[in-house]
Amino acid sequence: MIRAVAFTLRLGAGLALAAAVVIAGREIWRNHEGWAVDALGWAALLYGAQVAMLAVGWHWLGEGTWPGRGRGVWLRAFVHGWVARYLPGPPTGPAGKYLALRDAGAEAPAIAALLWVEQVLQLAASIAVPAALVLPAFGPGWWWASAGGLAAAAALALGGAQPGLVRRLSGRFGPRGERSGVSVAPGTALLSFGAMAAAALLAGLAFHVAAVVVSPWPLSRWEEGVAVFALASLAGYVTPFAPSGAGVRESVIVALLGGELGAATALTVAVVARATAVLVDAVVAAGYFGAGRIGRGLARRASAATLSNRRA
């Protein structure tokens, strides 16, 4: 049953990602006049680094929650969740990871603890990055926003990932009558938080590079560019039913940059940045599933050759 649901989710997410790739390619081609498309390669590299950093943070959390598994288990769950983000509805990314881990044999309490801590830390990192950049981006008059944001991120990370709370919450997903939950070690949570904060910074830098390529946005104002994108991403992250924050993130970017760049140019920046990220996601998904298919094919051939040699 779990495999059937996982296959349906993967198929739907794949189709949604394919549609997003078509739209992304069309938007980049339609808006490419006046700027060098190849310069977006730097933004794509930064987006790819962001995905890799999130995968590292996820792997650290996984090993701290359900130790002794190979990297393939965590990579498979991460890619399934990453692609599932393109489906509309309630958080489909965690659903994709949940189904992949259940298929790998993980118990529900361990998955619940892992997903809860991941979401808490990712939200905390999404708040911490713009809060840390408010002062250099907008000046000392915004000290209250920086201090409040950093305090909120710290409270969320320390409170939400507290072992006792995580153990109680995850225990509710165990067999009826049992309340033995799973917790995540504070050291593991701290490492994962660092990886997620680094990923948020890389994503903001990728957006900043895209803005520089397609608009008059100056390269020197990277703190402001990262802060704008981090705030827009945070808005998209907390908005339900928006696939990967689509529409919400772009609206915030236009609202924040439209006064300086003009609404049309700000919208172009938002659309091109989104399109670049979509194409990177497609490459990641195609690379993972393509490599898996090739690996399985080679394994079948090797098995068939070994069986043939034994019979001979």
Side-chain angles (χ1 to χ4, degrees):
M1 180 62 181
I2 289 178
R3 289 189 175 184
V5 175
F7 175 78
T8 304
L9 182 67
R10 188 166 62 243
L11 178 62
L15 293 174
L17 178 56
V21 167
V22 173
I23 296 172
R26 185 186 65 188
E27 292 300 322
I28 288 180
W29 178 256
R30 190 170 67 180
N31 292 287
H32 80 283
E33 297 293 339
W35 45 271
V37 176
D38 57 346
L40 283 178
W42 294 106
L45 286 175
L46 288 166
Y47 276 125
Q50 174 223 4
V51 177
M53 192 58 67
L54 285 174
V56 169
W58 165 256
H59 179 252
W60 285 340
L61 268 185
E63 281 296 319
T65 309
W66 193 38
R69 313 298 161 187
R71 292 183 180 178
V73 171
W74 304 115
L75 182 60
R76 181 173 183 269
F78 177 82
V79 174
H80 278 68
W82 195 249
V83 175
R85 294 160 46 247
Y86 283 87
L87 286 173
T92 48
K97 291 177 178 177
Y98 175 85
L99 292 170
L101 290 177
R102 286 291 284 173
D103 187 46
E107 296 295 332
I111 302 175
L114 175 57
L115 292 178
W116 168 264
V117 174
E118 182 203 27
Q119 296 303 306
V120 166
L121 295 181
Q122 197 160 338
L123 180 57
S126 298
I127 297 172
V129 168
L133 292 173
V134 161
L135 289 180
F138 303 111
W142 288 81
W143 66 267
W144 55 272
S146 178
L150 291 173
L156 181 62
L158 294 174
Q162 195 214 7
L165 173 64
V166 176
R167 189 177 294 109
R168 287 194 299 273
L169 289 173
S170 61
R172 296 179 178 276
F173 292 86
R176 184 171 297 179
E178 295 184 15
R179 292 299 181 188
S180 56
V182 178
S183 63
V184 178
T188 300
L190 181 62
L191 283 174
S192 184
F193 174 79
M196 292 175 183
L201 178 61
L202 287 166
L205 289 172
F207 168 79
H208 173 67
V209 170
V212 170
V213 171
V214 307
S215 77
W217 185 257
L219 182 64
S220 60
R221 293 171 62 181
W222 69 269
E223 300 98 334
E224 191 173 344
V226 173
V228 166
F229 183 79
L231 289 170
S233 296
L234 177 61
Y237 185 78
V238 299
T239 303
F241 303 105
S244 191
V248 178
R249 192 169 80 187
E250 287 71 24
S251 298
V252 175
I253 290 172
V254 172
L256 294 175
L257 295 184
E260 181 169 346
L261 297 178
T265 302
L267 180 59
T268 299
V269 169
V271 169
V272 170
R274 168 74 72 174
T276 304
V278 167
L279 294 178
V280 170
D281 289 348
V283 170
V284 169
Y288 174 80
F289 291 113
R293 184 175 292 275
I294 292 173
R296 288 190 296 271
L298 292 175
R300 284 195 297 268
R301 289 184 182 180
S303 179
T306 301
L307 183 60
S308 177
N309 291 335
R310 288 178 179 176
R311 288 178 177 175

